[in-house]
């Protein structure tokens, strides 16, 4: 048994854990939506609180789509999409080498290794070097970097455009509508004509702070 002794922090979004009792083993098999994931809570970000989001996004994916997941962790969005929808490819990027290795194992565990392609590296660099104009859909499940990396997400979309899922943390003092505030922040960085398909509250992440998601349709003009 382990207890988290810090909130998530750092580039890899990890908590520090203290071992309390029982076997000192930090990995486990976590099950979600009929898929199985090997995770190590000391080495890779994992939370059951994104469970609704994983399946909500997977249900939007149409057969044959190419998806780029810029911040994939142990591969939960990517593998649930591959298992539940019929994408052609899910490029699944993470900068944490442990996350990358777990993604390889998890793609095999769920028999989607032909669909999910784990890539180790910084998402901006990976897109610039090898994933420009390939995607129908881009996932950005890292609020700290989502706005900064939006230009790279736009480059990953096919020339005709596609959908981007942008996750943000929004501070919500009294009188502020978090969904309007999130859209206000994102839309100035999007091409003209981008359309908000849906804005949702995902979960509270701190005092007066919410994680929200914007599903945005981008149509490139040329
Ligand atoms: C919030 S977690 C992702 C959660 C995951 N999508 C899920 O559903 O479980 C964010 C991930 O982004 C990764 N990350 C941080 N900076 C990155 C970067 N520049 N490029 C790619 N991945 C990055 C972290 O290692 C971490 O695994």
């Amino acid at each position: 048994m382990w207890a988290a002794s810090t909130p998530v922090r750092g580039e890899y979004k990890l908590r520090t854990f203290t071992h309390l009792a029982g076997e000192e083993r930090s990995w486990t098999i976590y099950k979600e939506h009929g898929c199985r994931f090997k995770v190590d809570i000391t080495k890779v970000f994992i939370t059951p609180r994104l469970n609704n989001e994983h399946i909500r996004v997977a249900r939007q994916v149409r057969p044959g789509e190419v998806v780029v997941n810029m911040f994939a962790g142990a591969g939960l969005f990517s593998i649930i999409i591959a298992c539940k929808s019929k994408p052609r490819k899910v490029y699944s990027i993470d900068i944490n080498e442990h996350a990358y290795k777990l993604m390889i194992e998890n793609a095999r565990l769920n028999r989607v290794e032909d669909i999910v392609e784990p890539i180790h590296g910084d998402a901006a660099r990976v897109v610039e070097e090898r994933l420009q104009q390939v995607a129908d859909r881009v996932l950005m499940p890292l609020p700290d970097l989502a706005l900064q990396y939006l230009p790279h997400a736009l480059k990953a979309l096919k020339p005709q455009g596609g959908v981007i899922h942008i996750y943000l943390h929004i501070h919500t003092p009294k009188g502020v509508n978090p969904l309007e505030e999130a859209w206000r922040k994102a839309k100035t960085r999007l091409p003209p004509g981008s359309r908000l398909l849906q804005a949702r509250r995902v979960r509270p992440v701190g005092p007066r702070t919410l994680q929200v998601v914007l599903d945005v349709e981008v149509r490139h003009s040329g």
Side-chain angles (χ1 to χ4, degrees), residues 144-178:
D144 295 356
L145 284 185
L147 291 179
Q148 187 186 327
Y149 276 35
L150 202 45
H152 306 287
L154 291 167
K155 282 193 187 175
L157 288 179
K158 286 180 176 170
Q160 65 269 32
V163 173
I164 307 185
H165 303 273
I166 307 168
Y167 290 82
L168 296 174
H169 286 167
I170 301 292
H171 183 58
T172 53
K174 267 211 175 90
V176 171
N177 177 319

Side-chain angles (χ1 to χ4, degrees), residues 35-109:
C35 302
R36 290 184 303 150
F37 300 92
K38 183 173 175 188
V39 293
D40 184 329
I41 55 171
T42 64
K43 295 197 171 111
V44 63
F45 173 92
I46 179 82
T47 177
R49 292 164 75 208
L50 287 175
N51 143 343
N52 287 336
E53 243 342 83
H54 294 146
I55 195 72
R56 188 189 73 85
V57 172
R59 287 188 178 132
Q60 293 182 34
V61 174
R62 303 272 70 93
E65 277 193 13
V66 174
V67 179
V68 171
N69 183 356
M70 292 176 76
F71 309 110
L76 276 83
F77 273 110
S78 305
I79 289 167
I80 291 170
I81 287 171
C83 291
K84 301 291 173 193
S85 310
K86 289 190 167 38
R88 184 153 66 78
K89 201 84 197 161
V90 184
Y91 296 104
S92 200
I93 308 165
D94 205 284
I95 202 164
N96 175 352
E97 194 179 358
H98 297 292
Y100 163 73
K101 288 183 174 162
L102 286 168
M103 265 193 275
I104 295 175
E105 283 194 56
N106 288 332
R108 283 193 196 126
L109 199 58

